[in-house]
Amino acid sequence: MTKYILHCLLLSVFSFNAYSQQQKIASADKKYDTHAYVDAIKIYEHVAEKGYKSEDLFQKLGNSFYFNSDFEKAVKWYGKLFAMDTAIKPEYYYRYAQSLKSTGNTAKANEILDLFYQKSKNDSRAQLYQADKNYLEEINANSGRYKIENASVNSTYSDYGTAFYQNKIVFASTRDKSIFGQRKDKWTGDSYTNLYEADLDENFNLSEPKKINRGINSKFHESTPVFTKDGKTVYFTRNNYIDGKKGKNESKTTLIKIYRATLENDEWTNIIELPFTSNNYSTAHPALSSDEKTLYFASDMPGTIGQSDIFKVTIKPNGEFGTPENLGKPINTEGKETFPFVTDENEIYFASDGHPGLGGLDVFVGKITPNGITEIKNIGADVNSTKDDFAYLIDSKSRRGFFTSNKNGGFGSDDIYKFTETKKLTCVQELQGTIINLASGEVLSNSTLTLYDSKLNQLISTTNSDANGHFTFAVECGTAYHIRAEKETFTTKEESIVIAKENGTTNLTIALESPKAEVTIGDDLGKYVGIKTIYFDLNKADIRPEAALDLEKVLEVLKQYPTMKLDIRSHTDSRQSHQYNQILSDKRANSILKWLVDNGISTSRLTGKGYGETQLVNKCADGVKCSEEEHQMNRRSEFIIIEM
């Protein structure tokens, strides 16, 4: 009986404790769902300390610390989650790996990333990792390019997100501890941020910062502004709060939006939210293109690939906006891309935890092209660390700037760092060379140099050699080119070259040869100027870029000898029927003739005819097995001189 009573008492106590724990968890869940992570953590940790375990509890504890960039504690709770030996969603593999990297455990992180790839092969983050498992070597190769020091404006609180404004920088800080400054953000537990400004001298030294008291700061968050060059318009991030009213989404959470303000009588006024913002998703961290016609920003709006993506929107001449456009892959991933900054060199810097990095947010750079963002690279371990590194800002002329990080050794939770970039990440190459006379070795001035891509599809640039025979082209590293050298009374010469992959200069000497003998009637001008074949697409008669390049040689000789007349003879190989080949060769001869006429040669100087397969130069007649190279010898065009 006593045992029975004792058992009932223990069961009652256990049931009461279990009920109490569930009440506490339910209370914490409400705070978690409204992003009040600091308050949720207190309850979750208290429950966990009492021995309560669940997959949901460990997920939310890990997330609460992960979303606040406290990766050491995130590792603790994600570790407990993985120790439960239960089916875990793939996203937690990625968060656990990121947290492990941020605590320096790269080997374990890569093991988890291998598992992440197995579970999520279609996730771009998994694909990026799998495609470049040696990403640390690339990061190391991109390092050693910065001189970095802690900026003089930091406090023991959070300071982040610089912007250039006239001869100042503007940044966000939680340092304000006035009555309004005591309001706490339930996500981080810190005070709300206000905007501050500091004078910036020519050496990028900063004065004592002052809070901006000109109508822009409110009792909620303001951060990450960007100013127009005339200093009269600002775009900035703020909580969903305007005219004393706070907006909330369906979950009663106040998100963040981008606002615009104009300067009138030294006061920021006419504050409006941009038309593409919403109560139900966030828009933040605006950046302007150099011409101020495009606004870049981060958002989780519908159409977002991951947790947040980088978008762009056109600013119309009347101040209205176009439709936001997701920059897409490869810049955006299923992770977080945020804090864009665009230079006048069409580079976009941004922070990401989706591209391979050192942990937390890393800073990356990409090239803005008409076809999207390309050449995305981690900028290296000088700026980047195992913590969050973001809000990169650079003056492209001086190569000086600022970024923000919560890396170890700072004054506060986030700190602003000043840097000088001593070496550009983008490989810079020049193609330099000299044109000489093959026979004498003397330099040839005023030679014409034309640079094409390797496939001769695009003319890139033209220049002339100087008095010393020298020439220079700006070229891209690791790229193949085709270069053509011309000079009167010399035979045109062409060279192929592959540019080195490292910063520096690729050198090329081109020796031009004087013709040994003048051409006469009956000669093939094509052989004289070095034409082996006029290329056509199979079964077609259109002039290809390679053919046009060779025809320019013929054109140049015809211009030098204005009384010369040519008979253009086109031939095919034996494949296809005699009738088909005759028609095709006629079309090709006429195409060549038309090209020369279109480029200024009188029709009275040209005749043309196709000979089909009637004048083969080798054994490759019908039914004879020949190689492609042997057939190619018969697909030729001749330029026979019939009058001088």
Side-chain angles (χ1 to χ4, degrees):
M1 185 67 177
T2 303
K3 289 181 179 180
Y4 176 75
I5 294 173
L6 180 60
H7 175 74
C8 289
L9 287 172
L10 289 172
L11 182 61
S12 176
V13 170
F14 177 79
S15 299
F16 176 79
N17 286 339
Y19 176 72
S20 176
Q21 299 287 46
Q22 290 297 333
Q23 281 186 315
K24 292 178 180 178
I25 290 173
S27 174
D29 286 346
K30 288 182 179 180
K31 298 180 183 299
Y32 179 92
D33 290 340
T34 59
H35 309 301
Y37 296 123
V38 174
D39 294 335
I41 285 171
K42 294 177 183 177
I43 302 173
Y44 285 141
E45 284 192 319
H46 177 74
V47 171
E49 288 170 1
K50 296 297 183 181
Y52 184 85
K53 298 179 180 179
S54 79
E55 179 182 353
D56 186 65
L57 173 66
F58 293 152
Q59 284 179 353
K60 289 177 177 176
L61 262 172
N63 290 342
S64 296
F65 286 112
Y66 183 84
F67 296 149
N68 274 302
S69 300
D70 190 341
F71 298 113
E72 289 83 357
K73 291 182 180 177
V75 164
K76 172 184 175 181
W77 296 108
Y78 286 148
K80 290 182 179 294
L81 170 65
F82 276 74
M84 293 188 73
D85 193 27
T86 185
I88 299 172
K89 295 178 180 178
E91 185 62 30
Y92 288 96
Y93 283 81
Y94 193 79
R95 292 178 188 173
Y96 189 27
Q98 285 292 98
S99 301
L100 285 165
K101 280 198 286 187
S102 294
T103 58
N105 195 345
T106 304
K108 178 68 173 177
N110 288 342
E111 290 178 13
I112 300 297
L113 285 173
D114 286 330
L115 296 173
F116 176 64
Y117 176 75
Q118 293 176 19
K119 294 177 176 292
S120 300
K121 292 185 178 180
N122 292 327
D123 191 304
S124 61
R125 295 170 296 177
Q127 293 169 351
L128 286 166
Y129 167 72
Q130 188 68 17
D132 187 14
K133 287 193 173 183
N134 296 321
Y135 65 93
L136 291 176
E137 294 180 9
E138 179 183 342
I139 293 173
N140 184 61
N142 295 342
S143 303
R145 302 183 301 106
Y146 288 90
K147 178 182 177 183
I148 295 173
E149 56 185 299
N150 202 306
S152 59
V153 295
N154 291 309
S155 67
T156 55
Y157 302 100
S158 179
D159 305 288
Y160 70 94
T162 50
F164 292 125
Y165 174 54
Q166 308 296 342
N167 295 318
K168 306 174 186 288
I169 67 160
V170 177
F171 65 96
S173 178
T174 63
R175 68 184 65 195
D176 188 351
K177 297 304 173 184
S178 64
I179 294 175
F180 288 117
Q182 292 297 325
R183 295 173 55 84
K184 300 288 185 179
D185 181 349
K186 293 182 179 180
W187 181 310
T188 64
D190 290 335
S191 301
Y192 285 95
T193 56
N194 286 144
L195 294 178
Y196 288 74
E197 62 184 7
D199 293 332
L200 180 70
D201 70 14
E202 59 184 10
N203 294 315
F204 271 53
N205 296 315
L206 299 172
S207 67
E208 183 69 22
K210 297 179 181 179
K211 184 178 177 181
I212 297 177
N213 293 313
R214 299 195 299 277
I216 198 170
N217 286 318
S218 71
K219 60 182 180 180
F220 291 101
H221 284 302
E222 280 79 30
S223 69
T224 53
V226 61
F227 298 85
T228 54
K229 293 173 184 176
D230 62 11
K232 295 180 180 179
T233 302
V234 61
Y235 301 89
F236 64 99
T237 306
R238 177 194 275 180
N239 279 111
N240 187 357
Y241 178 83
I242 192 168
D243 296 333
K245 297 178 181 179
K246 182 169 66 172
K248 297 183 179 181
N249 65 6
E250 296 173 352
S251 301
K252 307 300 182 184
T253 301
T254 300
L255 303 178
I256 51 179
K257 293 182 177 182
I258 298 174
Y259 293 82
R260 181 177 66 191
T262 55
L263 190 66
E264 294 183 6
N265 299 320
D266 202 34
E267 186 83 6
W268 290 109
T269 185
N270 301 320
I271 298 175
I272 61 168
E273 62 183 74
L274 299 191
F276 51 83
T277 62
S278 170
N279 291 347
N280 295 315
Y281 55 78
S282 289
T283 54
H285 315 316
L288 281 169
S289 61
S290 179
D291 61 9
E292 300 183 351
K293 294 180 180 180
T294 305
L295 186 76
Y296 294 81
F297 62 96
S299 179
D300 60 351
M301 65 172 54
T304 300
I305 296 171
Q307 298 166 36
S308 68
D309 285 359
I310 298 175
F311 291 76
K312 69 177 182 179
V313 64
T314 299
I315 304 174
K316 299 179 180 180
N318 62 2
E320 295 181 354
F321 293 85
T323 301
E325 177 185 346
N326 191 310
L327 294 189
K329 296 181 179 180
I331 185 171
N332 289 320
T333 70
E334 283 79 357
K336 184 191 303 178
E337 279 70 47
T338 185
F339 291 98
F341 173 74
V342 178
T343 73
D344 56 4
E345 297 178 334
N346 285 326
E347 291 179 321
I348 180 167
Y349 290 87
F350 63 100
S352 171
D353 65 5
H355 292 269
L358 298 175
L361 292 170
D362 273 20
V363 177
F364 296 81
V365 63
K367 191 72 174 177
I368 300 173
T369 73
N371 297 320
I373 310 299
T374 63
E375 303 177 35
I376 295 171
K377 298 178 181 179
N378 186 302
I379 68 170
D382 311 297
V383 170
N384 291 322
S385 68
T386 58
K387 306 298 183 181
D388 280 336
D389 311 287
F390 57 99
Y392 184 98
L393 176 77
I394 188 171
D395 171 57
S396 61
K397 301 300 185 293
S398 67
R399 310 309 295 177
R400 289 172 168 164
F402 302 91
F403 71 95
T404 303
S405 178
N406 64 349
K407 64 178 67 179
N408 297 331
F411 292 110
S413 56
D414 289 315
D415 285 294
I416 297 169
Y417 291 83
K418 179 174 72 171
F419 68 78
T420 301
E421 186 186 48
T422 58
K423 176 185 175 184
K424 293 189 72 171
L425 175 59
T426 303
C427 180
V428 178
Q429 265 280 343
E430 280 190 339
L431 172 59
Q432 294 184 359
T434 305
I435 307 300
I436 64 172
N437 185 322
L438 178 63
S440 66
E442 295 178 349
V443 299
L444 297 176
S445 63
N446 204 34
S447 302
T448 301
L449 289 304
T450 309
L451 187 69
Y452 296 86
D453 68 349
S454 61
K455 296 182 180 180
L456 301 172
N457 289 328
Q458 181 179 358
L459 188 155
I460 297 171
S461 184
T462 299
T463 189
N464 292 319
S465 59
D466 63 17
N468 297 313
H470 295 156
F471 67 90
T472 301
F473 287 109
V475 290
E476 295 184 7
C477 300
T479 304
Y481 293 94
H482 194 87
I483 186 168
R484 177 183 176 191
E486 302 171 272
K487 186 172 177 62
E488 291 183 3
T489 73
F490 286 84
T491 302
T492 297
K493 189 172 184 180
E494 295 162 5
E495 298 274 1
S496 295
I497 189 167
V498 178
I499 305 303
K501 294 182 179 180
E502 300 81 22
N503 287 324
T505 301
T506 299
N507 294 295
L508 175 67
T509 298
I510 301 177
L512 298 184
E513 184 177 5
S514 294
K516 294 180 179 179
E518 293 291 334
V519 292
T520 61
I521 294 173
D523 287 344
D524 182 357
L525 181 59
K527 293 180 179 179
Y528 172 81
V529 295
I531 297 175
K532 296 179 180 178
T533 305
I534 293 293
Y535 289 98
F536 294 89
D537 288 325
L538 185 64
N539 297 327
K540 292 184 179 181
D542 299 324
I543 301 295
R544 288 171 54 179
E546 299 95 318
L549 184 63
D550 275 340
L551 288 175
E552 286 180 4
K553 302 175 186 177
V554 175
L555 180 66
E556 187 63 31
V557 175
L558 287 171
K559 289 179 178 179
Q560 292 178 19
Y561 297 88
T563 61
M564 180 184 288
K565 294 183 179 181
L566 296 180
D567 182 35
I568 300 163
R569 303 173 184 178
S570 181
H571 305 269
T572 69
D573 60 36
S574 63
R575 293 177 288 188
Q576 300 287 353
S577 68
H578 282 272
Q579 182 181 8
Y580 179 90
N581 285 332
Q582 183 62 52
I583 294 172
L584 180 61
S585 62
D586 278 335
K587 288 182 177 179
R588 288 179 172 176
N590 288 331
S591 290
I592 294 172
L593 191 151
K594 182 178 182 302
W595 189 94
L596 291 169
V597 171
D598 289 345
N599 283 275
I601 303 302
S602 171
T603 56
S604 64
R605 301 174 62 190
L606 304 170
T607 58
K609 181 181 178 181
Y611 290 84
E613 58 182 279
T614 62
Q615 296 184 9
L616 301 177
V617 297
N618 55 26
K619 64 179 182 178
C620 299
D622 290 340
V624 178
K625 187 176 181 180
C626 290
S627 67
E628 182 59 37
E629 289 76 14
E630 289 173 314
H631 281 303
Q632 179 68 68
M633 294 173 65
N634 291 313
R635 296 199 303 271
R636 67 198 189 280
S637 295
E638 298 169 326
F639 300 84
I640 305 302
I641 301 171
I642 58 176
E643 189 174 322
M644 290 292 292

